[in-house]
Amino acid sequence: MTPVAIKSIPMKFLTFLLILTTALTAAEYPQMGEDIYDVQADASEDIAAALATAQAENKRVLLKFGANWCVWCHRLSETFHLEDSVAQNLTQNYVVVSGDVNTRHGTKRNAATVARYGNPTQHGLPVLVILDADGQILTTQETGALEKGSAHDPAKVNAFLDQWAP
């Protein structure tokens, strides 16, 4: 757009666009930092794509169910991304799918997917489910057992991942 064209757009419209853009990109729970779960994602579609990749690359699929408000979900994501040994283990052996299971405004996100995998959220959040490349559940793991102090213990996380690696 040329500067002349911008001047011809009403200021109210520009303000509306700015507010809309901010709302669409803002974190769901700003006090928790950036979103770690895509609130718009359909976990069943993501799992289908992950299974295709897992079959092609001889990997497992790791489902990480949680919510953006969950402090332990954020801590597990930090362990997955910032602990080099865990990140390498995941890259080598798994296709990770993060499924948002928050209930917001009366809507349970990805409820059918949670039910399909045995309602693992009954164990709390975050919860991990490992699938073989054909989509069969190998295990469900509540993540409290992987904690040490106020974080997830990389050694415990890696031991869990190693146990179920292909």
Side-chain angles (χ1 to χ4, degrees):
M1 262 185 197
T2 65
V4 174
I6 292 174
K7 288 181 181 179
S8 67
I9 298 173
M11 185 54 87
K12 286 182 182 179
F13 182 72
L14 288 174
T15 303
F16 170 77
L17 284 178
L18 178 63
I19 291 170
L20 179 62
T21 302
T22 302
L24 292 175
T25 60
E28 184 175 30
Y29 297 92
Q31 70 278 15
M32 296 302 298
E34 292 184 27
D35 286 349
I36 54 174
Y37 295 93
D38 181 346
V39 301
Q40 302 297 321
D42 181 335
S44 64
E45 290 177 7
D46 293 346
I47 293 166
L51 287 168
T53 301
Q55 289 174 350
E57 297 179 7
N58 190 35
K59 293 182 177 183
R60 304 275 194 226
V61 174
L62 185 145
L63 309 179
K64 180 175 65 107
F65 291 115
N68 290 317
W69 55 260
C70 169
V71 68
W72 284 101
C73 297
H74 282 267
R75 291 175 182 171
L76 184 60
S77 280
E78 288 175 8
T79 301
F80 277 13
H81 297 289
L82 301 179
E83 292 292 337
D84 288 340
S85 63
V86 174
Q88 288 174 355
N89 197 335
L90 288 168
T91 299
Q92 288 175 344
N93 298 304
Y94 294 91
V95 181
V96 179
V97 175
S98 296
D100 180 24
V101 296
N102 191 19
T103 299
R104 187 85 183 226
H105 307 296
T107 301
K108 293 182 179 184
R109 297 179 187 150
N110 293 302
T113 302
V114 171
R116 178 178 176 196
Y117 293 103
N119 192 28
T121 57
Q122 67 185 318
H123 302 292
L125 299 180
V127 63
L128 304 174
V129 178
I130 297 196
L131 309 176
D132 66 16
D134 294 322
Q136 298 302 308
I137 298 171
L138 298 177
T139 192
T140 298
Q141 177 66 52
E142 58 81 26
T143 57
L146 306 177
E147 297 170 6
K148 182 177 181 182
S150 62
H152 291 90
D153 182 356
K156 290 180 180 181
V157 173
N158 274 322
F160 169 72
L161 295 173
D162 289 344
Q163 180 181 1
W164 297 100

